[in-house]
Amino acid sequence: SAVGRGPEVPFRSEAYRISATARGKELRLTLAPLGPGAAQHLVFRFGMSGSFRLCPAAELPRHAHLRFLTCESPPRALCFVDVRRFGSWRLGDAWQLDRGPCVVSEYQAFRQNVMKNLDDKAFDKPICEALLNQKFFNGIGNYLRAEILYRLKIPPFEKARTVLEALKDQEQTRRKKNSSLTLSKKLKQMRENPDLLELCHTVPMEVIATEKNLLDPDHSDNYAAFKNWLQCYLVPGMSSLRDHNGRTIWFQGEPGPMAPKGQRSRKTRAQPKADPEALTPEVTTRASKRRPKAAEKPPKSAEEVADGPRKGRTRGRKKATAAPAPSQPEVPVEAKRSRQTPARRGRGEA
């Protein structure tokens, strides 16, 4: 598209096949011609809002920055859609150099890469910030780090090296206990008592295994299922702080000794589950915002009105003299105020 920030793709073919390989937060597409010609590779990063969508070519979604057309009639388009344009693609098949092994597809290499580099300065930081370092935790993002730390009850601002060095002792204890166990029993124990690095693998796998039910924002039922899967991230009752990089981390309990100073932990308020059909926010006018405050005060009686002038907003008004008690019931003060409301405050009520 004209506003896409990625490079032009120099590939032309009447018919070709697209295959994909994922590694951490990157996705590599291979465009392979069905006839003569060389294949073209593209490596994508999704940013915060990037995704692929298959739709009719005549009904392209907004922000469809790269489009692959099918040869059927009418044609459809496989689109790389990115509303915020934080995502990107580049030509070639090389993964980014500063990304470590994938937490999903290269678990053993990922684990070894972390454990043998604990003296790296990246682990001087809080564990919540270290988990976003793609050099060691390739594939872990903001909602995943919250879910992983919550399940293990680890304070997000505990020092990363302190948390990870404890895994060495756990590994040795496990080996002694599991030396006589069968492989199936070892796996069962790992599932029942996982450590942090194991959860970096299994928690993303939970999402991948059920992605058809969880990750389709166009269907409110599926998005609701994803929200129900979350145990910590954006969940009412959880606390939140901004880390030293400005990213918000959700957690429960104490934040830990390395929490940023000068911040107060904010709790997400519990809200009743709303009807999906009633999720459209109401437009509130300035006048309608003021009305509830007035409604909180009960209307004054006729005796109170006669006893003395009303407080407030008396500048430039003549003093009212006490009038004899009317034969008709006194009109509530709210009704009187509504007649005095300037026209500009009443705009938009209809």
Side-chain angles (χ1 to χ4, degrees):
S1 70
V3 296
R5 296 179 178 176
E8 187 73 26
V9 180
F11 179 78
R12 297 289 181 273
S13 178
E14 290 298 323
Y16 58 97
R17 180 178 287 109
I18 300 180
S19 58
T21 306
R23 184 175 184 269
K25 287 192 172 186
E26 293 184 295
L27 182 76
R28 181 168 62 206
L29 293 190
T30 300
L31 315 180
L34 298 183
Q40 175 68 61
H41 300 282
L42 304 169
V43 176
F44 287 81
R45 293 174 62 185
F46 290 88
M48 292 181 68
S49 60
S51 66
F52 279 96
R53 193 177 306 174
L54 185 65
C55 59
E59 302 174 13
L60 292 176
R62 292 185 64 190
H63 309 286
H65 299 308
L66 195 60
R67 306 179 285 267
F68 305 95
L69 300 177
T70 65
C71 56
E72 60 193 333
S73 182
R76 289 182 294 170
L78 178 66
C79 306
F80 177 64
V81 181
D82 186 16
V83 176
R84 299 189 180 185
R85 292 194 289 175
F86 291 163
S88 62
W89 67 87
R90 63 183 184 276
L91 305 178
D93 61 352
W95 304 113
Q96 243 186 343
L97 293 176
D98 58 348
R99 290 181 178 266
C102 175
V103 297
V104 171
S105 61
E106 303 167 298
Y107 170 67
Q108 290 300 332
F110 148 71
R111 187 179 184 95
Q112 292 172 8
N113 185 45
V114 172
M115 297 304 291
K116 73 180 183 182
N117 288 296
L118 289 181
D119 57 346
D120 192 284
K121 63 181 181 181
F123 300 108
D124 292 334
K125 297 182 178 181
I127 185 63
C128 66
E129 295 177 18
L131 283 171
L132 294 185
N133 188 329
Q134 301 301 296
K135 181 179 178 181
F136 298 104
F137 296 90
N138 187 11
I140 300 299
N142 204 16
Y143 83 90
L144 287 172
R145 69 170 177 171
E147 297 299 313
I148 291 165
L149 295 175
Y150 170 78
R151 294 191 189 189
L152 294 173
K153 307 303 179 190
I154 295 175
F157 291 96
E158 184 64 67
K159 191 173 184 178
R161 187 176 291 106
T162 303
V163 174
L164 294 168
E165 282 183 341
L167 300 186
K168 293 180 179 179
D169 297 332
Q170 293 178 23
E171 282 183 346
Q172 293 176 358
T173 305
R174 269 189 188 178
R175 286 172 186 168
K176 292 178 182 178
K177 288 183 178 180
N178 297 350
S179 58
S180 60
L181 296 180
T182 62
L183 179 60
S184 60
K185 288 185 177 180
K186 289 179 182 178
L187 293 174
K188 182 181 178 182
Q189 283 199 355
M190 287 174 61
R191 286 194 298 268
E192 293 174 351
N193 301 292
D195 63 29
L196 184 138
L197 298 181
E198 287 164 352
L199 283 185
C200 287
H201 172 73
T202 58
V203 173
M205 287 299 294
E206 288 179 17
V207 183
I208 293 170
T210 53
E211 62 182 353
K212 291 183 180 179
N213 296 324
L214 295 183
L215 297 179
D216 190 350
D218 292 335
H219 296 82
S220 59
D221 292 343
N222 292 347
Y223 187 64
F226 175 65
K227 289 179 70 176
N228 290 334
W229 175 84
L230 294 169
Q231 299 178 33
C232 179
Y233 182 78
L234 288 176
V235 171
M238 296 295 161
S239 302
S240 66
L241 283 173
R242 289 188 181 275
D243 63 22
H244 297 91
N245 299 317
R247 302 289 301 276
T248 301
I249 174 70
W250 275 263
F251 61 95
Q252 187 179 54
E254 293 298 320
M258 299 183 73
K261 296 180 180 179
Q263 279 195 60
R264 285 188 178 182
S265 176
R266 298 169 295 170
K267 273 204 171 183
T268 309
R269 293 182 181 178
Q271 298 178 350
K273 291 190 177 181
D275 183 353
E277 295 180 359
L279 293 179
T280 305
E282 295 182 2
V283 178
T284 309
T285 61
R286 291 172 62 189
S288 64
K289 284 181 179 178
R290 292 190 181 95
R291 270 205 306 275
K293 293 183 180 179
E296 290 174 1
K297 298 180 181 180
K300 294 184 180 180
S301 63
E303 289 80 8
E304 289 174 320
V305 174
D307 283 345
R310 281 169 35 208
K311 292 182 180 180
R313 302 199 313 185
T314 57
R315 187 183 298 172
R317 294 183 185 173
K318 295 180 181 179
K319 290 187 177 180
T321 56
S327 57
Q328 295 284 339
E330 180 68 12
V331 179
V333 176
E334 284 186 0
K336 290 183 178 181
R337 287 184 183 178
S338 65
R339 297 191 194 109
Q340 297 168 356
T341 302
R344 64 181 177 84
R345 285 179 53 197
R347 289 177 186 168
E349 289 188 5

